[in-house]
Amino acid sequence: MTLKNTPQRWGPVSQALHWLVVVLILFQGGSGLRMIAMPNSIAKIELYALHKSLGLTVLALALIRLGWRLAAGAPRPIPGTPGWQHAAAACAHWLLYGLIFLVPLSGWLFNSVAGFPLQWFGLFNVPPLTSPDTTLRDLARNAHEWLFWLLVLTALLHAGAAIWHHLFQRDATLARMLPRGWLRTASDAPRSEDPHA
Ligand code: HEM
Ligand code: HEM
């Protein structure tokens, strides 16, 4: 078994990085929206700290993921996919890559210009990106919020397209981003001349 992507499938490293980042972003969106609405308390401070530490983890995973993608390549488009669909998917993928960098970076920038401390899971201090700046504060906070909503919109279109391919095109688009055997597609269905059918 190869860890790399093959012409037919995403390999286990790309799959693990993809789904781990999806889960972390779901948690980050939920925690971000929840923590800003909480009354001041220890729980609020703890949730902010967790949000920032996991957000920095997403940034590190985005770097690893981009490096792996450039080293391990991508599977070929599924035969029969119209050129426009392939181009739209490629644009969405690169936009998503950009956003998994920009969303945490804008959070880190906001934290820096607001002059808040920053640690990674209490283990070490993370330096600010720039010195405190009241004029940049609102800009950085709005950028963090709006880039997040752009990520949500793009990810919804992207996930919708993957599910549409699976249900209606009945091709392997979704199955090849999951471990082998997790999803059946039309091409896995036993043929009538198959002795095991
Ligand atoms: C994938 C990573 C991240 C996601 C998806 C995310 C998402 C969010 C969301 C949805 C909010 C609420 C925004 C609002 O409605 O005003 C928020 C707030 C916030 N985020 Fe993040 N965030 C991420 C990473 C980070 C990082 C790395 C940091 C800092 C190092 C950070 C710091 C903050 C802070 C300080 C707030 C509160 C803003 C305020 O008080 O108005 N975030 N985040
Ligand atoms: C935060 C949410 C998401 C982000 C940031 C994201 C990002 C990406 C990126 C960058 C790729 C390109 C492959 C790579 O280089 O790793 C990709 C591929 C893929 N994603 Fe997502 N994704 C998200 C959510 C989802 C969800 C919810 C689904 C399914 C319901 C999904 C299904 C797929 C599939 C099937 C592929 C492979 C497409 C192909 O082979 O052409 N993604 N995703």
Side-chain angles (χ1 to χ4, degrees):
M1 184 188 71
T2 172
L3 290 180
K4 279 198 154 192
N5 303 325
T6 67
Q8 288 76 32
R9 292 183 64 76
W10 295 96
V13 175
S14 288
Q15 290 181 10
L17 287 169
H18 178 270
W19 295 111
L20 180 59
V21 169
V22 172
V23 171
L24 286 175
I25 286 178
L26 280 174
F27 179 85
Q28 285 298 98
S31 62
L33 294 172
R34 173 152 166 66
M35 70 193 192
I36 57 166
M38 284 168 82
N40 286 341
S41 60
I42 300 286
K44 178 171 175 140
I45 294 170
E46 283 174 354
L47 192 54
Y48 264 78
L50 181 61
H51 178 87
K52 295 181 200 177
S53 296
L54 285 177
L56 291 173
T57 308
V58 171
L59 184 59
L61 288 172
L63 264 174
I64 294 171
R65 190 168 167 187
L66 184 63
W68 180 256
R69 173 72 159 76
L70 296 175
R76 284 200 211 102
I78 288 180
T81 308
W84 70 266
Q85 273 186 24
H86 178 58
C91 285
H93 294 168
W94 290 112
L95 180 58
L96 287 166
Y97 266 116
L99 289 167
I100 58 175
F101 280 93
L102 288 177
V103 173
L105 275 174
S106 58
W108 188 357
L109 180 68
F110 168 64
N111 202 75
S112 310
V113 294
F116 297 145
L118 185 58
Q119 289 193 331
W120 192 74
F121 293 107
L123 294 176
F124 55 85
N125 291 326
V126 178
L129 287 174
T130 178
S131 40
D133 182 334
T134 41
T135 49
L136 270 183
R137 206 185 139 117
D138 282 351
L139 190 74
R141 182 200 272 143
N142 289 340
H144 190 51
E145 186 184 353
W146 287 106
L147 287 167
F148 166 72
W149 288 113
L150 181 60
L151 171 60
V152 170
L153 182 71
T154 316
L156 282 175
L157 290 172
H158 162 80
I163 293 167
W164 179 78
H165 268 273
H166 181 69
L167 294 179
F168 301 108
Q169 302 281 104
R170 307 191 67 211
D171 65 26
T173 303
L174 185 54
R176 71 186 192 166
M177 192 35 114
L178 288 165
R180 212 177 275 278
W182 277 30
L183 269 190
R184 284 174 70 92
T185 60
S187 52
D188 301 326
R191 292 203 301 264
S192 53
E193 68 272 19
D194 187 334
H196 305 289

